[in-house]
Amino acid sequence: EYGGSFEGRIRLCVEVVMAVRKVWPLSKPLFVRLSCTDWVPSGWDLTETIKLAHILKQLGVDLIDCSSGGNDPRQKIPAKPAFQVEFSSAIRKEVNIMSS
């Protein structure tokens, strides 16, 4: 089951990370790029991203590369220099994982 609940929405990401981790050497870093928010009401947000980042860290991810939305006409993206830095900072602080 994909989609719907939090677990369903993260399932593909978790399955891909688990498959990659099986073949990717531990001596090499594993990065995952996440959309930290989709900028729509009741959509994906930073709280869910932090929860997912905790799971990914346990699976052996070394760095979370932070991005955000861009595919919904309802979005109100506050685009300005460094507007996504807050996502990276929050993940680094809350999860204790490298982020960019």
Side-chain angles (χ1 to χ4, degrees):
E1 299 282 330
Y2 297 91
S5 68
F6 174 78
E7 291 75 17
R9 288 179 287 139
I10 70 168
R11 177 172 279 173
L12 180 62
C13 179
V14 168
E15 288 176 353
V16 169
V17 166
M18 289 171 56
V20 170
R21 187 75 287 174
K22 285 181 183 176
V23 297
W24 191 250
L26 289 174
S27 62
K28 296 185 184 245
L30 178 57
F31 292 21
V32 172
R33 185 177 183 103
L34 295 178
S35 184
C36 298
T37 181
D38 57 16
W39 299 107
V40 294
S42 301
W44 186 263
D45 61 22
L46 183 57
T47 301
E48 291 172 307
T49 301
I50 289 170
K51 189 174 172 182
L52 174 55
H54 279 289
I55 294 166
L56 296 177
K57 180 179 178 182
Q58 294 300 313
L59 294 174
V61 169
D62 299 296
L63 182 140
I64 302 295
D65 181 31
C66 300
S67 185
S68 68
N71 60 355
D72 190 300
R74 298 171 294 161
Q75 294 171 318
K76 302 281 190 269
I77 301 174
K80 62 184 179 199
F83 77 99
Q84 298 187 117
V85 169
E86 70 179 85
F87 304 135
S88 179
S89 297
I91 289 169
R92 188 176 312 117
K93 178 183 175 187
E94 296 294 324
V95 185
N96 194 29
I97 191 172
M98 291 185 288
S99 60
S100 62

